[in-house]
Amino acid sequence: MFYHLMKYVLLGPLLKLLFRPRIEGLEHIPEEGAAIVAGNHLSFSDHFLMPVVLDRRITFLAKQEYFTGPGIKGRLTAAFFRAAGQIPVDRSGKEAGKAAIREGLGVLDKGELLGIYPEGTRSHDGRLYKGKVGVAVMALTAGVPVVPCAMVGTFEIQPPGKVVPRIRRVTIRFGAPLDFSRFAGSAGEKAVVRAVTDEIMYEILRLSGQEYVDDYAAVVKEAEAQADG
């Protein structure tokens, strides 16, 4: 109930009015049945702008920090994400990836749309980084299509560290669904899940026009932080 209230009454109309999103390829989103929408992640605003343009409800795997922040802001953020049906995922420790996959498969098992950012974190410089293989494992295990998505312009309106976004038009671009049924039963094969992940990232790159970095965003961030320190 809260999800639809926010989308159609409170937040959605306001976001559409302010950012006037150009929507391309919306016909590629399946009208029913389970599917994964895999996108680049440039801004905190991505969490809100993509869902408001979709006719169907979409559930994202959100980092646990959104649910555990301190103070009034933290409690409000946690309340919003919970009410919107987003799922907290602990990204630390050896079991983090398995937990995310387990939660994502639960969404897909119910025939719903699952939103994933394969990079695993926001891009800190606007470039597209190497994707983590969890998206491929889920797609192959559940046997569902993957719809690539490119958020264009959201880094410019709200790069990391900027609290209040700039008011500027953005583009949300969806590509044709990717069918990986030819790899059915191969979710446990490392070479296959890497190849599937790379194919998904290539389609996101093609839609977004970003510069690509063949390394994980978290690794690059840590290296740059250590160099600056």
Side-chain angles (χ1 to χ4, degrees):
M1 179 178 178
F2 182 80
Y3 181 94
H4 291 92
L5 180 65
M6 292 295 293
K7 179 174 179 177
Y8 296 111
V9 180
L10 300 178
L11 187 60
L14 178 62
L15 291 176
K16 289 182 178 180
L17 177 65
L18 293 176
F19 299 104
R20 298 174 295 123
R22 300 182 186 90
I23 309 165
E24 301 176 9
L26 191 60
E27 69 275 9
H28 294 312
I29 300 294
E31 294 183 2
E32 58 183 20
I36 295 172
V37 180
N40 57 343
H41 195 14
L42 296 168
S43 167
F44 184 73
S45 300
D46 297 339
H47 287 291
F48 310 103
L49 289 170
M50 188 206 294
V52 301
V53 305
L54 295 177
D55 295 328
R56 294 181 61 185
R57 175 170 180 158
I58 185 169
T59 298
F60 280 91
L61 300 179
K63 64 180 182 179
Q64 192 176 47
E65 290 87 337
Y66 288 146
F67 299 82
T68 59
I72 295 177
K73 179 183 177 182
R75 289 195 294 272
L76 289 175
T77 300
F80 175 83
F81 276 90
R82 286 195 185 94
Q86 308 309 289
I87 300 173
V89 175
D90 184 357
R91 300 183 300 175
S92 62
K94 294 182 180 179
E95 297 300 314
K98 293 180 181 178
I101 290 171
R102 187 166 55 249
E103 295 288 356
L105 289 174
V107 174
L108 296 172
D109 285 345
K110 292 185 288 187
E112 299 176 356
L113 285 182
L114 176 67
I116 298 176
Y117 300 121
E119 293 168 276
T121 185
R122 277 179 286 173
S123 173
H124 63 293
D125 57 11
R127 297 186 293 176
L128 183 70
Y129 285 85
K130 186 176 182 178
K132 296 187 175 183
V133 299
V135 60
V137 173
M138 283 185 271
L140 295 177
T141 301
V144 300
V146 178
V147 179
C149 173
M151 308 296 293
V152 181
T154 57
F155 184 83
E156 288 73 21
I157 67 170
Q158 193 180 22
K162 185 173 181 59
V163 177
V164 180
R166 300 182 182 95
I167 305 304
R168 189 177 299 177
R169 197 169 193 187
V170 301
T171 298
I172 304 172
R173 189 174 291 141
F174 300 97
L178 303 174
D179 178 10
F180 297 110
S181 58
R182 64 190 184 278
F183 296 122
S186 302
E189 298 181 23
K190 291 183 178 180
V192 172
V193 296
R194 182 72 261 168
V196 169
T197 303
D198 289 344
E199 183 175 338
I200 294 168
M201 297 310 294
Y202 175 78
E203 289 302 317
I204 295 173
L205 177 66
R206 189 179 63 81
L207 292 170
S208 70
Q210 294 169 266
E211 178 184 347
Y212 180 72
V213 180
D214 192 26
D215 207 345
Y216 296 114
V219 173
V220 174
K221 285 182 183 179
E222 182 177 355
E224 291 181 359
Q226 291 177 351
D228 292 340

